[in-house]
Structure formats: C-alpha cells, structure tokens
Amino acid sequence: YLSCAVCKEIGMTAEQNMQSLTLAAFFHDITLTSDDIAKVQLESERDFQRLGIQEQQEALTHGDQAVELMNQIEGISKESLIIVSQHHEQYDGSGFPRGVDYRKISPLSAIFNVCHELCLYIYESGTDDQHIGELIHSMEERYQRGNYKSAVQALKAIFTSRAQHNQIAS
C-alpha cells in the first residue's frame, strides 16, 4: 500500500506499476521459514550474525528463490521479478545478493526498498509521527540521488500530510 502511495505521489500512476509493487509485496519473502530471517536486511547486521549457517544461506538466497517460484506463475510481470530480486540491494551497494547500488536498482525497486525500510521501522517502533519524521529525515540525508531520493521525498510529503491531518483531527 505504501509503495503504491509513493508511486502516486511522484506521478508513476500506471496500473502496471501498482500491480508490480503489490505482487512483489506478496512474494518477496515467501520462501523464508521464520520471522527472524525475514527481519534481516544486511549481512553486516547483528541479527544476521546470530543466525546459523543454513539460515544465513536462506536469507541470502531467498530473493532469487522467490523469483524462481514466481516464474512458474503465468502473467507475473518482469518488473515484479526485478523488485523481488532487488529488495535487499542497498543504495550504497552494500546489499545482497548482487551488491548493486542505486544506479543499477530499478525505479520501482528503489520505491519498494525505501517503503520496506519504513515499514520495518514502523513494525518495530510504532507509528508515532515524530519518530517516523525522524526516520524519513535520516533517509533524506542518506539517499541523496536518483530514484531513492524521489521515493523519500514522496514519503515525506505523504507523512507530512498525514501528520497535518492528525493535528486537525485532534
């Protein structure tokens, strides 16, 4: 839902974009066997280091395994497959499985990744407007170029509007 809202905010309103993001959201972690593995975003995280060798391998390969599964379903868009394969790639190239940076990450993957980061934060920390604002500000500082920058600017607009709505409602 959030990635589709970002697409609308930046004018990428084609139905195919929304479908690709929605399918990617459903399938990106489908091959994982535990919530602990699903929380891992980087190999360098403490959560990754705490996993056993087999679980680490599962974390590192689950995107490609999900793509293999999706390839068996007729009608899945190529863009959905790209989003799923890139959902652990990072802006600076420190992600996995290929270690590509923002210049090689598709526009929809960048949107998905930024929204995924925010959703994980909300899951762990809650929906307090101030904390979400602080995270978005932090993302603005880290994501200075390309599609990541556009996605963060859209998130900022969405959540600024949400915070204003909440103040009016109070």
Side-chain angles (χ1 to χ4, degrees):
Y1 174 78
L2 186 55
S3 59
C4 290
V6 167
C7 271
K8 287 180 182 177
E9 184 68 29
I10 60 178
M12 295 177 64
T13 57
E15 184 177 330
Q16 184 63 38
N17 292 337
M18 306 305 172
Q19 289 176 351
S20 295
L21 287 163
T22 301
L23 286 171
F26 283 123
F27 283 101
H28 73 284
D29 284 344
I30 198 164
T31 64
L32 294 177
T33 59
S34 79
D35 291 341
D36 290 337
I37 301 170
K39 290 179 185 177
V40 170
Q41 296 304 303
L42 294 168
E43 287 180 83
S44 59
E45 288 179 351
R46 202 174 324 144
D47 289 339
F48 181 81
Q49 302 303 323
R50 291 180 184 162
L51 298 174
I53 293 172
Q54 186 174 356
E55 291 170 316
Q56 287 179 351
Q57 186 63 27
E58 182 180 336
L60 294 173
T61 61
H62 78 277
D64 289 338
Q65 290 174 346
V67 167
E68 286 178 29
L69 178 66
M70 292 170 72
N71 272 322
Q72 297 174 29
I73 301 169
E74 189 174 324
I76 298 283
S77 71
K78 180 181 177 185
E79 191 62 42
S80 291
L81 301 173
I82 291 169
I83 295 166
V84 170
S85 72
Q86 293 182 340
H87 81 276
H88 282 286
E89 300 295 352
Q90 298 291 314
Y91 175 84
D92 63 0
S94 64
F96 62 88
R98 290 165 193 81
V100 298
D101 68 15
Y102 73 94
R103 294 170 294 180
K104 294 186 179 178
I105 295 173
S106 80
L108 289 179
S109 294
I111 291 168
F112 186 90
N113 293 350
V114 166
C115 293
H116 192 250
E117 180 178 340
L118 181 59
C119 288
L120 288 172
Y121 175 84
I122 290 171
Y123 177 76
E124 293 290 327
S125 303
T127 59
D128 178 81
D129 288 337
Q130 180 179 350
H131 290 118
I132 291 172
E134 290 169 1
L135 175 65
I136 291 172
H137 179 72
S138 168
M139 293 167 89
E140 271 186 302
E141 291 177 350
R142 285 183 285 135
Y143 303 146
Q144 293 287 316
R145 292 189 166 90
N147 297 309
Y148 276 76
K149 181 177 181 175
S150 301
V152 172
Q153 292 304 315
L155 275 180
K156 184 177 180 181
I158 291 165
F159 278 90
T160 298
S161 174
R162 176 180 171 262
Q164 289 170 349
H165 176 75
N166 287 345
Q167 286 177 348
I168 292 169
S170 298

